[in-house]
């Protein structure tokens, strides 16, 4: 779990429920996301067939992960990239910090990456004395606020535009010309432009890793990923090993699902494939490209009942439709990944003893499974965590006694 998790889930949830401004911010964003997704699917009658194909693609890759990892490494290396392997979050951070130091980086730019949050890369860079500049607008907002993301697509969705205006007035020099969204975006652009052009290293995530070309794919609506990965001398990619797809065609099959489910669009403004560093004759691009492939519990998931969670393409639809998330927001969950997906993943990453409350948060209404673009049976996986919690003795003595009494009466 993250540093924000110093209190119990019940205490965090109680504080969130009492925050009327938070509820306003959540309703604004999730309500809009739900309506846009519904409109996008109304114009995409092939959606059910597409999600079945998406689930099949992911299941095939997971079943043959060793093959596709080897293929990706071979092709990425042939394209000029250097591939690094990290079994744990700590190893991944050590690799990134070492690469930054080898590049003599004074400051780095970073485009939004939940994998980076998962491995606590921002903390590792800070400990190493390397200035980190978040370039996604929402990530820029929460960096100024000293917070963690509360949503995987809209990291600052818990902040109202009125609150953002206060942050920008305090941090931006010169301050925004006005407090309307366009003026505040222009203010952020002025601040970030110099950082983009002077960064020594750019760090990105990857929405997909394409095995047969060795390319990485980033998806954004702001163009910040392109400005993060192109001007610096060194581009570092951090990605989970489950991000693999066999070919570019498979990546686009999943992109059709990802974007509609996340933002209600057909494609994002920027879908970019990075295949190695700058070549002779190229107009721009990094001189070095490094790809850090991170396991961090994923191999363990392949072997247990939570295997299907590795299908996840990080669209956030399960959160936008979750009746619990829409009441308490993301920070109450206490981990990197909030909402239904977080209730499954956080016990994997932090241990069931520490995250035991999360599988019991769900009402089991099934909305998350209904909207998941790759058909992940999230309620089934949460029931599996509940069963494991009972078997491993994480329930209180009072709970075990009351259930035992109920069972006796039922019999």
């Amino acid at each position: 779990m993250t540093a924000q998790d110093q209190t119990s889930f019940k205490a965090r949830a109680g504080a969130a429920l009492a925050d009327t401004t938070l509820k306003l911010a959540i309703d604004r964003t999730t309500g809009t996301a739900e309506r846009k997704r519904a409109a996008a699917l109304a114009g995409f009658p092939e959606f059910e067939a597409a999600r079945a194909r998406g689930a099949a693609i992911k299941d095939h890759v997971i079943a043959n992960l060793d093959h596709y990892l080897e293929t990706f490494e071979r092709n990425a290396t042939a394209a000029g990239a250097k591939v690094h392997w990290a079994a744990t979050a700590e190893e991944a951070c050590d690799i990134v910090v070492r690469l930054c130091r080898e590049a003599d980086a004074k400051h780095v730019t970073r485009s939004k990456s939940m994998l980076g949050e998962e491995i606590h890369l921002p903390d590792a860079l800070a400990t190493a004395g390397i200035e980190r500049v978040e370039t996604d607008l929402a990530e820029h907002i929460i960096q100024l606020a000293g917070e963690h993301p509360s949503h995987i697509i809209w990291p600052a969705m818990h902040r109202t535009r009125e609150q953002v205006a206060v942050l920008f007035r305090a941090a931006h020099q010169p301050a925004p010309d006005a407090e309307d969204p366009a003026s505040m975006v222009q203010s952020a652009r002025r601040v970030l432009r110099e950082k983009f052009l002077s960064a020594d290293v750019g760090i990105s995530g990857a929405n997909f890793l394409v095995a047969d070309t060795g390319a990485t794919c980033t998806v954004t609506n702001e163009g910040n990923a392109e400005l993060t990965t192109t001007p610096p001398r060194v581009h570092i990619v951090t990605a989970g090993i489950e991000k693999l797809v066999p070919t570019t065609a498979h990546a686009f099959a999943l992109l059709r699902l990802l974007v509609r489910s996340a933002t209600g669009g057909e494609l994002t403004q920027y879908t970019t494939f990075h295949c190695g560093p700058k070549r002779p004759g190229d107009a721009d691009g990094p001189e070095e490209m490094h790809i850090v492939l991170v396991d961090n519990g994923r191999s363990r998931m392949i072997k247990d009942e939570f295997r299907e969670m590795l299908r996840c393409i990080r669209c956030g639809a399960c959160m936008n439709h979750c009746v619990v998330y829409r009441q308490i927001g993301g920070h109450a969950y206490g981990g990197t990944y909030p909402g239904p997906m977080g209730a499954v993943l956080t016990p994997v990453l932090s241990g069931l003893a520490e995250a035991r409350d999360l599988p019991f948060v769900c009402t089991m209404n099934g909305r998350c499974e209904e909207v998941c673009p790759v058909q992940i049976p999230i309620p089934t996986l949460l029931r599996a965590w509940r069963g494991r919690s009972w078997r491993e003795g994480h329930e209180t003595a009072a709970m075990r006694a009351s259930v035992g009494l109920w069972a006796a009466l039922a019999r």
Side-chain angles (χ1 to χ4, degrees):
M1 288 199 174
T2 63
Q4 70 197 16
D5 179 46
Q6 300 301 319
T7 56
S8 70
F9 170 79
K10 290 182 180 178
R12 295 191 304 270
L17 289 169
D19 188 339
T20 55
T21 302
L22 173 64
K23 186 64 167 63
L24 173 65
I26 295 171
D27 285 345
R28 281 178 177 176
T29 306
T30 58
T32 300
E34 185 175 15
R35 290 190 295 274
K36 285 187 174 180
R37 176 189 176 277
L41 296 194
F44 185 42
E46 307 93 338
F47 180 69
E48 288 303 321
R51 25 177 351 220
R53 186 187 181 202
I57 291 169
K58 295 296 292 185
D59 285 346
H60 169 76
V61 170
I62 293 164
N64 299 278
L65 192 58
D66 52 350
H67 165 73
Y68 286 112
L69 285 169
E70 291 174 0
T71 302
F72 176 80
E73 180 185 31
R74 181 171 62 252
N75 291 324
T77 301
K82 298 179 181 178
V83 179
H84 309 262
W85 301 85
T88 66
E90 293 76 15
E91 286 183 19
C93 287
D94 288 345
I95 292 168
V96 174
V97 168
R98 173 176 57 79
L99 293 172
C100 289
R101 285 176 170 160
E102 289 174 358
D104 195 25
K106 301 299 185 294
H107 85 263
V108 304
T109 49
R110 194 175 83 106
S111 66
K112 182 168 74 67
S113 164
M114 292 309 299
L115 189 278
E117 299 292 334
E118 175 190 318
I119 63 176
H120 306 301
L121 182 57
D123 295 333
L125 292 170
T127 300
I130 300 169
E131 180 192 5
R132 166 184 57 93
V133 178
E134 296 292 344
T135 63
D136 176 88
L137 179 58
E139 290 280 358
H140 174 63
I141 291 167
I142 63 172
Q143 184 175 23
L144 293 179
E147 296 174 334
H148 295 275
S150 62
H151 192 286
I152 64 171
I153 301 298
W154 298 285
M157 70 170 295
H158 59 286
R159 288 273 175 176
T160 64
R161 58 179 172 268
E162 295 84 1
Q163 292 174 322
V164 173
V166 173
L167 286 172
F168 280 15
R169 282 200 307 272
H172 289 181
Q173 297 299 326
D177 299 327
E179 295 184 2
D180 61 283
S183 297
M184 290 193 287
V185 169
Q186 183 61 35
S187 177
R189 182 178 289 127
R190 284 196 299 265
V191 170
L192 292 173
R193 176 66 58 170
E194 184 274 329
K195 301 294 186 181
F196 282 128
L197 299 178
S198 62
D200 303 297
V201 172
I203 303 174
S204 75
N207 292 90
F208 301 105
L209 304 169
V210 185
D212 74 338
T213 63
T216 68
C217 174
T218 58
V219 177
T220 72
N221 278 311
E222 300 171 18
N224 63 295
E226 288 65 33
L227 285 168
T228 297
T229 60
T230 303
R233 292 179 292 107
V234 179
H235 174 201
I236 302 173
V237 180
T238 59
I241 56 175
E242 85 285 5
K243 293 289 189 177
L244 279 161
V245 293
T247 69
T248 304
H250 292 103
F252 274 101
L254 292 170
L255 282 167
R256 299 177 79 197
L257 295 166
L258 170 62
V259 182
R260 286 176 170 86
S261 298
T263 63
E266 293 186 12
L267 279 178
T268 56
Q269 301 297 324
Y270 300 91
T271 300
T272 305
F273 291 83
H274 304 270
C275 195
K278 182 179 181 179
R279 298 170 177 80
D282 285 350
D284 53 29
E287 297 170 11
E288 298 178 25
M289 181 178 182
H290 299 267
I291 303 170
V292 184
L293 298 176
V294 184
D295 188 324
N296 202 32
R298 288 157 173 79
S299 293
R300 187 169 66 250
M301 290 175 69
I302 292 175
K303 302 172 185 176
D304 63 25
E305 63 267 49
F306 306 106
R307 176 190 185 104
E308 289 166 299
M309 197 65 217
L310 291 171
R311 291 179 192 164
C312 182
I313 57 175
R314 305 296 195 263
C315 70
C318 61
M319 300 172 203
N320 300 334
H321 294 77
C322 174
V323 296
V324 177
Y325 180 92
R326 290 177 69 155
Q327 297 301 316
I328 64 175
H331 288 155
Y333 288 83
T336 299
Y337 301 105
M341 63 175 291
V344 177
L345 285 172
T346 303
V348 174
L349 298 172
S350 302
L352 182 57
E354 191 171 343
R356 178 260 167 203
D357 284 333
L358 298 186
F360 292 86
V361 172
C362 181
T363 67
M364 294 293 170
N365 63 71
R367 286 287 282 148
C368 51
E369 183 174 0
E370 288 177 18
V371 300
C372 176
V374 286
Q375 301 178 329
I376 300 173
I378 294 178
T380 300
L381 303 184
L382 292 174
R383 289 189 192 95
W385 274 127
R386 293 180 181 186
R388 185 179 290 194
S389 179
W390 181 268
R391 292 191 301 274
E392 294 182 1
H394 295 296
E395 315 310 322
T396 64
M399 172 65 77
R400 299 185 76 84
S402 63
V403 171
L405 176 61
W406 179 88
L409 290 172
R411 286 193 295 268

